[in-house]
């Protein structure tokens, strides 16, 4: 063998049979996340998740049989669910966009798919027009700018042009600082907007790009500025999308090394267990972005991914902690209840216990891609239509996870407050 063309490190690796330990650790972490995501397909209780499908399709390693079976479920169950929402006039921009991206990532012919008798891309364009009209009349989309961006990205990735009016509404929202989540800058939304506009820039270069360039520069600056000392961009759950956006916008992988390391630390700590969180992080760790689906060929793919061993059930210690739950409804009156709960139980289980044990506390949830979303407390509903939600905080700090994922590890006060956004 001629070693002349190999670098010093590569020669050493060949001679000793060792790989670069940093690179192989990175590959192992990716593989562990990939397997977790694959395992989530076994959950048949909820609707098939198009974001999970998208991430699996963007991966280097595949389990083609399981992915094909999941695609069948998307085309049957999710498809029907979206049709039913469309019939009821419920907004579905984000879900429809993720479905369109998942289909493209599987090289499915979109033109042959109809929703309630109309081509899927036509339905998505209609949703975008409704969103655009809503921005014109009420200065905000029906859903939010995250979903508005996702819709634009999905159309673009499928080669469909959006009108300049639709595009300019996003450009203006970026200029006017409208990308918010719980009152703060939403790194997730900025990232999605960046990917959508970058896709337009790459796919339709002949269109006037002056405003587009300015908006892209703003997004990039804000994403870079969102970097915390520990390398996260925003928080643990926005870093993956932010890295994807920066890579899509031309940043080098080396520019993102601190954020990549922050995500690796999170993987080791087990921060990403919610399939939705994994699905937004895994592509970034593999240096992929949602823009890659534009050119996916689905040919000669690796088929080596197998399910890992099932994670052992969590052993709940026989220990209780005191939990205070404060509810602040719209009229700002406040009530606080105290309940002993098992250490390590989820906030969802703690609230169920509170509801069971104390007569004047009730709550309801709605399913979402991230899990149960707290929608009704003591009979009072928080709605997208009146721009309110039940915000969650612990001892004054806003929770970065929902009721199912947040675990009660110590005595604390959880505040559930009806909040306008
Ligand atoms: C917009 C948004 C909101 C809006 C949603 C309403 C609206 N119309 O705008 C509002 C402000 C209400 C909101 C609230 C919260 N959010 Co939020 N939200 C988002 C955002 C930016 C986009 C969601 C979206 O539209 N997805 C697209 C559609 C297709 O998916 P979907 O699942 O159908 O969308 C619905 C659900 O996601 C639901 N939703 C929104 N946030 C959350 C959070 C949780 C935990 C759950 C279960 C559901 C949920 O509202 C969406 C619209 O109906 C995401 C960013 C992201 N990376 O996903 C964060 C995000 C999902 N939110 C997050 C968090 C932490 C929250 C809160 C828990 C904050 C808090 N401390 O109170 C609360 C939820 C509390 C509750 N009542 O259960 C985290 C979740 C991380 C995690 N590991 O769980 C994310 C990832 C942001 C982040 N990087 O921290 N959110």
């Amino acid at each position: 063998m001629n070693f002349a063309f190999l670098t010093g490190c590569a020669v050493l690796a060949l001679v000793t049979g060792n790989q670069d330990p940093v690179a192989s650790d990175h590959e192992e972490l990716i593989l562990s996340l990939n397997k977790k995501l694959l395992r989530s397909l076994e959950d048949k209780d909820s609707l098939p998740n198009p974001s999970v499908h998208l991430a699996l399709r963007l991966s280097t390693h595949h389990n083609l049989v399981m992915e094909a079976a999941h695609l069948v479920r998307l085309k049957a169950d999710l498809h029907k669910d979206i049709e039913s929402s469309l019939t009821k006039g419920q907004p579905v921009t984000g879900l429809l966009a993720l479905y369109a991206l998942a289909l493209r990532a599987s090289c499915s012919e979109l033109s042959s798919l109809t929703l309630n008798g109309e081509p899927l891309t036509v339905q998505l364009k209609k949703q975008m027009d409704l969103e655009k009209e809503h921005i014109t009349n009420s200065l905000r989309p029906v859903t939010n700018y995250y979903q508005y961006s996702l819709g634009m990205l999905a159309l673009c990735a499928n080669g469909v042009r959006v009108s300049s009016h639709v595009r300019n509404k996003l450009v203006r929202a970026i200029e006017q600082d409208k990308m918010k989540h719980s009152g703060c800058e939403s790194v997730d939304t900025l990232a999605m907007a960046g990917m959508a506009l970058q896709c337009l820039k790459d796919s339709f270069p002949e269109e006037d790009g002056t405003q587009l360039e300015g908006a892209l520069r703003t997004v990039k600056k804000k994403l870079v500025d969102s970097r915390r000392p520990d390398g996260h961009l925003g928080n643990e759950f926005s870093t993956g999308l932010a890295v994807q956006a920066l890579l899509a916008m031309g940043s080098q992988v080396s520019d993102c090394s601190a954020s990549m390391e922050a995500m690796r630390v999170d993987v080791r700590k087990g921060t990403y267990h919610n399939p939705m969180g994994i699905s937004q992080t895994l592509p970034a760790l593999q240096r992929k972005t949602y823009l890659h689906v534009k050119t996916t060929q689905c040919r000669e793919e690796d088929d080596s991914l197998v399910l890992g061993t099932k994670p052992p059930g969590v052993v709940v210690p026989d220990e209780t902690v005191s939990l205070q739950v404060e509810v602040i409804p719209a009229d700002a009156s406040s009530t606080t209840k105290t309940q002993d709960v098992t250490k390590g139980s989820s906030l969802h289980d703690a609230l169920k216990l509170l509801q069971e044990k104390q007569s004047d506390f009730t709550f309801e949830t709605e399913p979402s891609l991230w899990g149960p979303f707290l929608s009704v407390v003591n009979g009072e509903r928080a709605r997208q239509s009146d721009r309110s939600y039940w915000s969650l905080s612990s001892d004054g700090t806003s929770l970065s996870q929902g009721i199912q994922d947040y675990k009660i590890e110590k005595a604390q006060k959880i505040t559930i407050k009806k909040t306008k956004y």
Side-chain angles (χ1 to χ4, degrees):
M1 180 186 255
N2 179 4
F3 290 104
F5 61 94
L6 294 173
T7 64
C9 285
V11 171
L12 192 68
L14 260 185
V15 173
T16 60
N18 289 336
Q19 284 182 319
D20 171 3
V22 178
S24 80
D25 177 46
H26 183 85
E27 289 312 314
E28 250 172 59
L29 291 176
I30 286 176
L31 211 56
S32 72
L33 273 195
N34 214 334
K35 287 181 180 177
K36 267 193 192 177
L37 207 54
L38 192 67
R39 181 162 297 284
S40 76
L41 301 189
E42 288 192 325
D43 171 17
K44 301 278 159 45
D45 294 338
S46 41
L47 280 173
N49 184 329
S51 179
V52 166
H53 193 81
L54 180 57
L56 286 172
R57 293 298 309 146
L58 282 171
S59 283
T60 313
H61 299 294
H62 297 275
N63 182 314
L64 295 174
V65 170
M66 287 185 75
E67 285 173 16
H70 194 243
L71 182 63
V72 171
R73 287 190 63 215
L74 285 172
K75 286 183 173 177
D77 302 350
L78 183 72
H79 195 98
K80 242 184 261 152
D81 184 73
I82 295 176
E83 284 193 318
S84 141
S85 298
L86 284 169
T87 307
K88 291 185 216 145
Q90 291 166 346
V92 281
T93 313
L95 201 57
L96 185 49
L98 283 173
Y99 181 37
L101 283 167
L103 290 169
R104 173 68 207 103
S106 288
C107 303
S108 278
E109 202 40 73
L110 235 67
S111 52
S112 61
L113 279 173
T114 57
L115 284 155
N116 293 347
E118 290 214 62
L120 190 146
T121 47
V122 171
Q123 288 285 20
L124 184 50
K125 274 188 114 172
K126 281 190 176 173
Q127 290 291 306
M128 291 302 285
D129 283 335
L130 288 174
E131 300 272 14
K132 184 201 72 183
E133 285 310 307
H134 205 276
I135 300 174
T136 307
N137 299 327
S138 316
L139 303 177
R140 56 206 336 170
V142 183
T143 57
N144 51 55
Y145 280 110
Y146 181 93
Q147 296 195 30
Y148 191 68
S149 306
L150 206 46
M152 210 179 280
L153 175 62
L155 285 169
C156 173
N158 279 289
V160 181
R161 213 178 270 266
V162 291
S163 79
S164 58
H165 300 292
V166 169
R167 184 191 69 172
N168 290 343
K169 291 274 185 258
L170 184 60
V171 167
R172 216 154 300 140
I174 291 167
E175 282 163 359
Q176 294 171 352
D177 257 346
K178 296 261 174 80
M179 311 277 143
K180 301 276 191 236
H181 179 251
S182 311
C184 304
E185 189 102 81
S186 171
V187 170
D188 315 65
T189 308
L190 281 165
M192 204 50 89
M195 283 192 268
L197 295 181
Q198 185 66 43
C199 183
L200 294 185
K201 184 182 162 194
D202 298 345
S203 306
F204 310 109
E206 67 286 2
E207 286 185 9
D208 174 26
T210 337
Q211 287 177 311
L212 207 75
E213 288 292 347
L216 280 168
R217 266 196 306 276
T218 306
V219 169
K220 194 166 181 175
K221 180 167 184 326
K222 287 191 172 189
L223 291 179
V224 171
D225 289 351
S226 74
R227 194 162 114 193
R228 301 191 319 206
D230 64 4
H232 286 107
L233 301 170
N235 66 12
E236 294 87 329
F237 304 104
S238 51
T239 303
L241 289 177
V243 168
Q244 282 198 50
L246 287 173
L247 294 177
M249 290 189 278
S251 293
Q252 298 303 307
V253 175
S254 54
D255 300 334
C256 302
S257 55
S259 307
M260 288 281 193
E261 183 51 25
M263 288 189 284
R264 280 194 288 269
V265 171
D266 290 328
V267 180
R268 283 187 209 106
K269 279 198 298 202
T271 305
Y272 304 124
H273 46 82
N274 187 314
M276 208 45 195
I278 301 177
S279 76
Q280 297 180 346
T281 308
L282 185 60
L285 279 168
Q286 303 198 56
R287 302 163 184 193
K288 288 280 184 61
T289 87
Y290 290 157
L291 266 62
H292 281 100
V293 302
K294 254 189 349 171
T295 48
T296 301
Q297 300 271 325
C298 308
R299 268 195 244 126
E300 292 169 23
E301 291 179 323
D302 157 279
D303 193 11
S304 65
L305 193 66
V306 284
L307 279 183
T309 43
K310 214 172 180 153
V314 185
V315 185
V316 185
D318 202 12
E319 203 182 317
T320 57
V321 289
S322 169
L323 179 72
Q324 281 181 288
V325 176
E326 180 187 28
V327 176
I328 309 179
D331 67 8
S333 61
S334 152
T335 49
T336 303
K337 310 236 164 277
T338 305
Q339 178 69 49
D340 281 346
V341 302
T342 309
K343 186 171 180 258
S345 58
S346 70
L347 177 54
H348 196 188
D349 284 342
L351 294 180
K352 281 186 203 160
L353 193 67
L354 196 64
Q355 176 165 254
E356 199 182 296
K357 301 275 181 199
Q358 310 210 11
S359 56
D360 46 357
F361 173 79
T362 61
F363 76 100
E364 290 170 34
T365 61
E366 278 166 19
S368 83
L369 297 180
W370 279 94
F373 179 77
L374 184 63
S375 52
V376 182
V377 179
N378 293 338
E380 187 169 334
R381 184 174 289 278
R383 290 190 178 85
Q384 181 164 285
S385 55
D386 61 17
R387 304 280 147 191
S388 64
Y389 75 108
W390 288 103
S391 69
L392 307 170
S393 54
S394 164
D395 293 333
T397 303
S398 178
L399 297 192
S400 63
Q401 299 183 98
I403 55 170
Q404 184 165 278
D405 290 345
Y406 185 75
K407 303 286 185 288
I408 312 291
E409 299 293 354
K410 58 175 175 45
Q412 60 197 280
K413 179 156 111 177
I414 292 286
T415 303
I416 304 176
K417 185 175 182 210
K418 181 94 174 279
T419 309
K420 284 268 183 195
Y421 64 90

